[in-house]
Amino acid sequence: MVRKIRYREALREALREEMQRDPRVFVIGEDVGRYGGAYAVTQGLLQEFGPKRIIDAPMSEAIIVGAALGAAVVGGRPVAEIMYIDFATLAMDQIVNQAAKLHCMFGGQLKAPLVIRTQQGTGRGAGPQHSQSLEAWFAHVPGLKVVMPATPYDAKGLLKSAIRDDNPVMFIEHKGLYALEGEVPEEEYTIPLGVADIKRPGNNVTLIAYSNMVHTALAAAQELSQIGISAEVIDLRTLAPLDMDTVITSVTKTRRAVVVHEASVFGGFGAEIAASLQERLFDILAAPVRRLGGLHVPLPAHSQLEKQVVPSVAQIVQVVKEMVSTEVAIRAASA
Amino acid sequence: MEDRETLTNLYHTMLLIRRTEEKILELLLQGKLASSMCHVSIGQEAVATGVCSAMQPHDYLTSTHRGHGHIIARGGDLRRIIAELLGRETGYCKGRGGSMHLVDVSLGHLGSNGIVGGHIGIATGAALWSSLQNDGRVTVAFFGEGAMTEGIFHEAANMAALWRLPIVFVCENNQYAMSLPWTHATAEHSFARKGEAYGMPGIEVDGQDVLAVRQVALQAIERARCGEGPTLIGAQTYRFLGHSRGDPSPYRDKEEETRQRARDPIRIYQEYLFREGVLTQTDVETIEAKVAEVIADAVRFAEESPSATLDSVLEDVFA
């Protein structure tokens, strides 16, 4: 029987194993040492690896990323922690203009093997400046990889691959997932970046999600199965590189697709998936590709309001029902 | 007094920077540059030259959008510099960087940067890694006074002083951030007091005096290498020309320009070398001829090189 550990423990194991494997790996960020990380991911690592490898930095997001980047350029393998993705705005020049560009801009002379670990999303009533979902910003920048694990198993395997990758990786965790338990084998494994995972097979509709929305989609799929609709749930796991092949194969089979994310629908990553699907599968789609995401509002701190902003199981079920019934109605009309 | 070879090299480097940038401006006017972005450092050559002469071969540096002088002073390959500006595959960045993004990792040059202050983070990180590895290297971060009002500078200065990182912050104060005078950009103009606020020495130096710059840099680099932490150097210099092409500097007082241009670092240094009997007029002419030949060769190489291609850009988005 495979043991179960929490998402945060899986991340900690990945960090520990990579730090043991490679002396060039180090962690730098706010409150990562003495405090053990705002979400307790790095707890105990300072005691194990010492202050030269678990570095408590001053409150300076730009230089945390900048210093990690500079160290990466000359031989280090840093993992920088940005406590909330909202604070990445303070480091955007370093991420977007520097880390992402460096390899290509300098003719391939430099590499930036840098991981920026951060977390985002709702679930704690953390308010408009601590709950945003900003993944689309980063996925839009050439030169950045964007990873968004949904389970403890994926979190561990993907973080290990991110650390071993020679490119800057935005590793975006979800604050609502840290306590989630899941099966994680004791033995070593990695998960390649750019490979989506079918979390539940199905035939009538494909639910495409990532991060915590994978769990919402899975719950919706369970509910849909009770009314005879078989939903396939795809967890993208990484947005860049994007495994569009798995999505295309699935939707070719199901002919219906719903993209679900917490980030607002307007300008969100779901638009990229929906547009690609309609460009490539227009002729076989049984219904327009649907997008479900957050409302285009600053996230309210009030927990009950916050819940109403992001997609729910009920919304997914409702949308799928509409897609199926629309098709039934069209068929009935043309019969 | 320094030995004759060192003194001669300093003169040669300053002249090479000046003549190269004059050639670059000529190529620009001929429409031969592949990118419209180009900022020359004419008038500021003594800072790059003096500081780079104080560095060891294994040290690192990062540079700015006005960075031709830094890579030349570091011993960069003039052929690859000109090829880069002409957008050739043989350029330092295969034509993707242009004037603002020169780099030579083999020389510890970690790149010049188009974002004012953006590279100071990379420099601080290189110094952090040197500190963690105890590898004995020192990093020099060149930047203009405009970068000192950017947030990244404050974060970097604070971190570097806090952790005593082996880095030297070299501010080339050419007095203008594009059009804004230094006196209109910050209330505190003393580098000593600015440095003190972060917990590091701040030293002002005449940036038109290559030997003075070299002395200050030697001390700061030594201090950094010994684990005593960073130094802020404020080299007072002057941008003889506009910010970029098409900037006639209408915001500058013409009398001020005349007065400042009279303090040409190359002329000042040449007079010193004559006075001290280090070089003669004939020596100077020989150096001038050598410099002209190297530049002509670089231009020839660049013009004969194949143009950069988009295919290779696509290949290098990721490492």
Side-chain angles (χ1 to χ4, degrees):
Chain A
M1 172 131 163
V2 182
R3 72 179 172 144
K4 283 191 167 179
I5 59 172
R6 294 181 194 278
Y7 187 83
R8 69 160 58 85
E9 291 159 352
L11 291 163
R12 191 185 306 139
E13 274 194 2
L15 286 171
R16 179 186 291 119
E17 287 175 18
E18 291 307 295
M19 290 182 74
Q20 285 167 343
R21 185 186 63 81
D22 185 345
R24 299 170 301 171
V25 178
F26 71 96
V27 172
I28 182 168
E30 292 162 9
D31 305 298
V32 295
R34 284 180 187 79
Y35 192 77
Y39 285 90
V41 170
T42 51
Q43 213 162 61
L45 297 182
L46 174 65
Q47 291 71 24
E48 196 173 339
F49 294 99
K52 283 193 153 190
R53 298 189 68 195
I54 301 290
I55 303 174
D56 273 325
M59 303 276 277
S60 308
E61 284 77 10
I63 195 62
I64 287 170
V65 176
L69 175 61
V73 164
V74 295
R77 311 284 299 190
V79 180
E81 180 173 318
I82 296 294
M83 197 185 282
Y84 286 75
I85 201 167
D86 315 72
F87 311 164
T89 53
L90 298 163
M92 283 307 258
D93 171 53
Q94 296 300 307
I95 300 170
V96 174
N97 293 324
Q98 309 300 337
K101 306 286 187 289
L102 197 129
H103 178 69
C104 190
M105 176 172 90
F106 288 134
Q109 280 193 52
L110 300 182
K111 281 182 195 167
L114 160 70
V115 178
I116 299 171
R117 271 192 55 239
T118 187
Q119 57 79 28
Q120 69 174 28
T122 61
R124 288 176 55 89
Q129 298 171 335
H130 288 72
S131 308
Q132 297 170 87
S133 294
L134 303 178
E135 69 276 9
W137 289 5
F138 299 100
H140 192 63
V141 176
L144 290 180
K145 295 192 176 181
V146 179
V147 182
M148 304 199 64
T151 67
Y153 178 84
D154 289 343
K156 182 174 178 184
L158 290 167
L159 183 52
K160 287 170 76 89
S161 292
I163 291 170
R164 295 179 194 188
D165 200 281
D166 275 343
N167 297 283
V169 179
M170 285 297 293
F171 194 90
I172 306 173
E173 298 153 18
H174 193 286
K175 65 170 68 60
L177 294 176
Y178 285 117
L180 178 77
E181 279 197 340
E183 291 188 349
V184 176
E186 309 254 5
E187 56 272 14
E188 161 93 27
Y189 70 95
T190 58
I191 298 170
L193 307 187
V195 181
D197 184 42
I198 298 171
K199 287 283 194 276
R200 177 186 173 120
N203 296 310
N204 304 131
V205 62
T206 303
L207 305 180
I208 301 147
Y210 49 86
S211 191
N212 72 323
M213 279 295 134
V214 169
H215 304 286
T216 309
L218 284 169
Q222 182 60 30
E223 217 168 281
L224 288 165
S225 72
Q226 322 259 309
I227 54 170
I229 298 173
S230 161
E232 181 148 294
V233 177
I234 293 182
D235 176 0
L236 292 177
R237 297 202 292 199
T238 65
L239 305 191
L242 176 64
D243 179 6
M244 204 56 205
D245 289 349
T246 296
V247 177
I248 293 287
T249 304
S250 173
V251 179
T252 303
K253 173 180 69 178
T254 63
R255 303 191 305 129
R256 297 174 195 87
V258 184
V259 197
V260 194
H261 53 55
E262 259 197 31
S264 64
V265 173
F266 185 83
F269 196 76
E272 174 61 35
I273 303 285
S276 288
L277 283 172
Q278 288 176 151
E279 276 169 357
R280 293 171 65 175
L281 299 180
F282 185 78
D283 290 341
I284 65 159
L285 286 172
V289 176
R290 296 292 298 269
R291 292 174 293 154
L292 272 176
L295 301 176
H296 204 44
V297 296
L299 270 307
H302 188 313
S303 293
Q304 291 309 312
L305 299 185
E306 185 191 71
K307 274 198 187 115
Q308 294 170 45
V309 172
V310 298
S312 64
V313 173
Q315 278 175 303
I316 299 174
V317 169
Q318 181 58 35
V319 161
V320 172
K321 279 186 186 168
E322 281 168 24
M323 290 168 83
V324 174
S325 62
T326 305
E327 190 200 354
V328 170
I330 291 168
R331 274 200 199 144
S334 58
Chain B
M1 194 167 136
E2 305 265 10
D3 62 86
R4 187 174 189 276
E5 192 189 342
T6 305
L7 294 171
T8 308
N9 285 345
L10 293 173
Y11 182 79
H12 176 266
T13 301
M14 283 205 287
L15 194 72
L16 183 60
I17 297 170
R18 173 73 56 93
R19 296 290 177 253
T20 300
E21 290 200 308
E22 286 168 352
K23 174 55 79 176
I24 289 170
L25 287 175
E26 191 185 315
L27 293 166
L28 178 71
L29 290 174
Q30 292 170 346
K32 288 187 176 171
L33 297 197
S35 156
S36 63
M37 301 298 265
C38 181
H39 312 88
V40 295
S41 64
I42 290 176
Q44 306 179 199
E45 296 89 346
V47 187
T49 304
V51 172
C52 288
S53 79
M55 295 172 69
Q56 293 296 316
H58 62 298
D59 290 339
Y60 298 124
L61 72 86
T62 68
S63 158
T64 72
H65 61 288
R66 202 176 301 287
H68 305 144
H70 306 131
I71 194 161
I72 293 172
R74 187 61 179 160
D77 182 347
L78 210 59
R79 288 178 156 200
R80 297 185 70 190
I81 294 170
I82 302 295
E84 182 58 33
L85 269 66
L86 265 53
R88 307 300 161 132
E89 199 67 30
T90 52
Y92 265 126
C93 306
K94 304 179 191 171
R96 304 165 199 169
S99 165
M100 292 199 289
H101 304 288
L102 298 166
V103 63
D104 189 334
V105 178
S106 71
L107 300 172
H109 185 304
L110 305 179
S112 47
N113 212 290
I115 305 293
V116 171
H119 58 96
I120 298 176
I122 296 169
T124 306
L128 171 63
W129 186 245
S130 289
S131 163
L132 293 173
Q133 298 296 103
N134 203 15
D135 66 8
R137 297 173 197 248
V138 173
T139 301
V140 169
F142 285 103
F143 50 87
E145 84 290 348
M148 286 187 71
T149 52
E150 293 282 2
I152 187 80
F153 171 76
H154 300 283
E155 294 189 15
N158 180 66
M159 179 179 277
L162 177 70
W163 294 339
R164 293 189 173 201
L165 300 182
I167 182 167
V168 179
F169 296 105
V170 179
C171 175
E172 298 174 289
N173 184 3
N174 67 14
Q175 316 300 328
Y176 289 87
M178 270 190 77
S179 66
L180 194 72
W182 167 238
T183 47
H184 289 51
T186 186
E188 177 56 78
H189 302 114
S190 155
F191 279 85
R193 283 197 291 273
K194 280 192 182 295
E196 194 184 350
Y198 300 107
M200 71 175 99
I203 299 169
E204 232 158 282
V205 64
D206 179 2
Q208 308 306 81
D209 180 344
V210 69
L211 291 176
V213 172
R214 175 173 156 81
Q215 275 317 309
V216 165
L218 279 169
Q219 285 163 16
I221 288 170
E222 175 65 11
R223 184 185 136 80
R225 212 181 303 283
C226 292
E228 290 171 31
T231 300
L232 173 63
I233 294 176
Q236 306 294 351
T237 181
Y238 198 76
R239 196 187 68 208
F240 280 15
L241 304 177
H243 163 73
S244 57
R245 77 164 174 177
D247 172 18
S249 313
Y251 45 84
R252 293 202 302 206
D253 182 49
K254 296 304 143 192
E255 187 275 326
E256 172 195 294
E257 287 190 350
T258 310
R259 181 166 36 85
Q260 290 279 6
R261 284 184 189 139
R263 300 205 67 241
D264 182 329
I266 297 178
R267 193 174 329 136
I268 290 172
Y269 187 52
Q270 193 192 77
E271 281 164 9
Y272 167 85
L273 294 173
F274 286 169
R275 206 165 53 236
E276 295 295 322
V278 180
L279 295 182
T280 62
Q281 185 62 39
T282 318
D283 295 331
V284 164
E285 281 162 18
T286 309
I287 294 170
E288 189 80 58
K290 232 169 34 180
V291 162
E293 175 45 38
V294 170
I295 294 170
D297 165 74
V299 173
R300 203 160 41 236
F301 170 83
E303 288 186 328
E304 286 168 3
S305 293
S307 185
T309 67
L310 193 58
D311 286 347
S312 92
V313 177
L314 294 168
E315 280 165 22
D316 274 344
V317 176
F318 289 105

